[in-house]
Structure formats: C-alpha cells, structure tokens
Amino acid sequence: MSRIAWHCSLTVALAIALAPLRLSAEEWQKVDSVDKLLKELGVWDAPAWNCRAGGVWVDPNTSGVYLDVAGKPIYRSTDGCKSWSQWGPDWLTGKLNRSTALGIDHPYRGRMLLYGKHGASGMTLDGGNTWKQLPQDLVHGDTHWAAEVPTVIVAHGDHGRYSATIDGGMSWHRNGTIGRYMSIGYDCLGLVDEKTMVVAKGLVCIKWGQPRKPESGIYITNNLLGPWDYEKDFEKVSDLTPLGSNPHHWKGGRMYWAAVEGVIVSGNGRDWKVHGRAVANARYLLFGRAEEELLVMNDEACYVSTDGAATWTKIAPAFLIADGAFKADAKDLGDGSLSIGWDPKGRIVYASPLNGSLYKVQYDLKMAE
C-alpha cells in the first residue's frame, strides 16, 4: 500500500472512530434502566400475569417517558430514561396493556384517561396533579374530550365486559360484551359525541388459540348503556376494517382510526375514508405535536408522516422481539400484548411488551428510507 493510500485509509478510520455514536434505525435496543427499576420495585419475578412492565407513553411536548409498572403506580423519566420517579397516586396501579389503554385529549394538554387492567383506572384533566378514580379492570375505551369536564365514558373491561357511565362516574352500567352476536362482540369502540358511539369487530378470534382475523364493518349506535338488539341498535355505516381498539380524536372532533386500509378518518362518525396515502394493515396509530404528525406501525415497519399522511417515511422495522406475553409474531401486532410510545422531538419510538421490558429505536428522517 502506498503512503498516500495508507494515509487516506487511516484518515477514514479515524473519522469513523471519532464520529458520534447514533442508534441505528435498523435495531431496537433494550432500555437497561427499566430492568433495574423493575427489579428494585420487586416486580421482575412477580406472577406471570402481572409482572414487569405493561405499557409506555411519551409526552410529545416534553419528551417525558411514562412507564406502566405491573401492580405499581406509573413511573416517569424526564432525562431520557436515565432515572425514574413515581408519577400519579399510589392507587393508580392498573396495567395499561395496550397503546389505546391511554385515552389522550389531542393535542396533548394534560388531559388523559388511563384504563387499568388488574387494577384501578383514573382520569386527570390537569397533567396529573389531581386524579378521579375509576373502576378496576377497564382495558380500553373512549370519552368525549370536547367537553370541558368529560362525563361520558365507554369502555371494554377484562374479558370483553362492557362498562359505561353518562354521569361522570357516579353510576356505571355493565352489560356484557357490546353487540354480542353469534358469540362475537365488537372489540373496537369510540365516542362520536355524548350520545353516539361507533363500534367495529376488529380482529376476531372465532376460537381460542386460533389466529385472529380482521372483520370489516363500522357500526353506529345511540344506545350507550345497553342491553342491545344487534339488528335494531347498530347501523352499518362503512365497510372499512378498523384494527385499533379505539379511534383517536383531535380537538374532540375528527376521529382517526388504524385500519386494514390504512389510517381512516371521520368528522361525524358516519362518513369514513382513508386519510392520505395508505399504509396497509396499520395496527398502531399515534399523534405527535400537531395533527399532521402521525406514526403508524404495521407488521413490517414503523412509518412517520409530517404532512398529514400525504407521504410516509419508513423509519424502523416493526417491533418483533419476543418478551413477556408478546411472542414476536407479526400476527400478534395490534393485540393487547404490546404498547407503543413516540417521542417526535427526540425522534425515538418506544415499545413495551406486556409483562416485559422497555425497548427503543432512534431514527433520523434524513437517513431513513
């Protein structure tokens, strides 16, 4: 090798060695501080149905990371997951076992409802300073965020048991599986307003242990409390196929739903259409700081849009790491075994497998596909 060639090779090698380390957009990495936290809290080796972590959420404005710890209150990190401290009251111990177990008033301004399985649920309207305690074993649901103080909440409980209140929680109505028909109920639900609900079957499991398959159809009803007559109480308004457990609201108005056809949107609960460019089989949907900032994940990859779904950028592979109750099978995505959080400021996506640890992947939009 000539001296010039050797000098050029050395220069390149030094440049690579001295370049700042950056997480690859092709690799999910475990957040080690969380494993340490879970062991310190004594939930690392807890019973399999209620151990370790159960969900993650990120404040898009501050990049604060919120972690659901099994049988414990919520824990928060404000320093990039280097350290953690309790956030919220001691009684808020329900497990947030899916991304939609966090009902958020978008754009985020401190108003959220946490649906807790195996523990209490709660609602805060002031960023966690005060909380209203709600019943136990609410898995996912929706509320009417257009109201200054929401009084209507509809939710699925453990094993599909439906719960609803129209008086701010003073009384709760529980009526089995909503729209139960041929042993199959509506697994997805959302509120259009204080008197109207939309429902969909979503991923249907005909027989326990068999793969779940999506079933098309969005239905609307004015009967929030039940009991229901399947033929009379539910009007079919769309042939689209929601996969997300609940739609997401922006400013209490437009509803966005992850679906087989992509992200779908409606302003009135009746008229649904695909929003922008379709990302097929969207299983997870998250907002950033603006209505135009969206993240979805399907069984292949994570995608981000900064222009209201007009274009999408592939930023990372889908999360498929076996941990806890999550079996790392693409068919399990969208099930209640994985929670996704998004930090649009820090450009980080987090994944929390049910009964597992916390993972993250950092991306660079300029270098992503």
Side-chain angles (χ1 to χ4, degrees):
M1 180 184 293
S2 68
R3 176 174 295 181
I4 295 176
W6 177 85
H7 183 269
C8 290
S9 298
L10 180 60
T11 302
V12 172
L14 287 173
I16 294 174
L18 296 175
L21 294 175
R22 182 177 62 84
L23 290 177
S24 169
E26 298 302 323
E27 182 179 0
W28 289 86
Q29 299 189 5
K30 182 179 282 191
V31 180
D32 293 332
S33 65
V34 168
D35 285 6
K36 179 181 179 183
L37 172 69
L38 299 177
K39 292 175 182 177
E40 290 176 348
L41 293 175
V43 298
W44 185 261
D45 296 315
W49 58 270
N50 197 25
C51 68
R52 303 187 186 180
V56 64
W57 173 74
V58 183
D59 184 337
N61 302 310
T62 66
S63 298
V65 181
Y66 296 75
L67 180 72
D68 173 46
V69 179
K72 303 290 182 180
I74 305 296
Y75 275 75
R76 177 177 65 178
S77 176
T78 58
D79 57 7
C81 297
K82 295 177 183 177
S83 62
W84 299 86
S85 59
Q86 181 177 328
W87 181 78
D90 291 340
W91 54 260
L92 192 63
T93 59
K95 180 181 293 181
L96 314 176
N97 71 330
R98 63 185 71 200
S99 292
T100 48
L102 284 163
I104 299 172
D105 181 16
H106 299 289
Y108 179 66
R109 50 195 176 100
R111 291 156 53 94
M112 67 169 67
L113 199 158
L114 280 64
Y115 301 88
K117 185 176 181 180
H118 302 312
S121 304
M123 180 168 64
T124 179
L125 303 178
D126 56 12
N129 293 319
T130 59
W131 288 86
K132 179 181 181 64
Q133 188 167 353
L134 302 175
Q136 294 192 358
D137 289 333
L138 300 182
V139 178
H140 66 90
D142 200 11
T143 190
H144 184 52
W145 288 117
E148 182 177 351
V149 178
T151 58
V152 179
I153 301 170
V154 296
H156 269 305
D158 199 12
H159 300 294
R161 288 189 289 268
Y162 176 79
S163 299
T165 179
I166 58 175
D167 55 17
M170 289 188 291
S171 61
W172 286 86
H173 302 260
R174 302 201 171 197
N175 281 296
T177 303
I178 184 171
R180 196 167 182 82
Y181 178 65
M182 295 177 61
S183 299
I184 304 172
Y186 294 111
D187 189 51
C188 312
L189 54 82
L191 278 174
V192 179
D193 52 43
E194 292 181 319
K195 297 182 179 180
T196 313
M197 177 169 60
V198 287
V199 297
K201 290 185 177 179
L203 290 168
V204 174
C205 180
I206 304 299
K207 185 177 181 181
W208 181 259
Q210 294 183 352
R212 303 202 307 165
K213 299 180 180 180
E215 185 166 329
S216 64
I218 299 175
Y219 301 78
I220 197 166
T221 181
N222 295 119
N223 183 355
L224 301 186
L225 303 181
W228 301 272
D229 182 303
Y230 182 86
E231 301 294 339
K232 297 179 180 179
D233 289 333
F234 297 94
E235 176 190 356
K236 189 174 184 179
V237 295
S238 174
D239 289 322
L240 294 173
T241 314
L243 293 175
S245 299
N246 308 100
H248 296 264
H249 301 263
W250 187 267
K251 291 186 176 180
R254 285 181 296 277
M255 294 177 289
Y256 295 79
W257 218 338
V260 167
E261 298 81 6
V263 177
I264 60 177
V265 63
S266 175
N268 57 16
R270 288 184 169 274
D271 303 308
W272 291 88
K273 64 179 182 180
V274 176
H275 183 53
R277 181 183 173 190
V279 175
N281 296 312
R283 306 294 182 101
Y284 299 87
L285 169 63
L286 296 171
F287 278 117
R289 294 159 293 180
E291 190 173 7
E292 295 76 24
E293 292 183 345
L294 299 166
L295 178 143
V296 297
M297 188 174 82
N298 60 13
D299 50 4
E300 296 180 354
C302 294
Y303 301 86
V304 163
S305 177
T306 59
D307 55 13
T311 60
W312 294 92
T313 301
K314 179 181 176 181
I315 59 167
F319 180 82
L320 291 174
I321 298 176
D323 189 4
F326 184 66
K327 305 305 180 184
D329 191 323
K331 67 179 176 61
D332 290 332
L333 294 177
D335 200 352
S337 56
L338 183 66
S339 175
I340 298 294
W342 180 31
D343 176 7
K345 290 180 63 178
R347 294 183 175 178
I348 301 173
V349 184
Y350 293 89
S352 175
L354 180 62
N355 299 335
S357 299
L358 182 67
Y359 299 79
K360 70 177 182 179
V361 60
Q362 190 162 6
Y363 62 92
D364 186 337
L365 284 177
K366 295 181 180 179
M367 300 187 67
E369 295 181 10

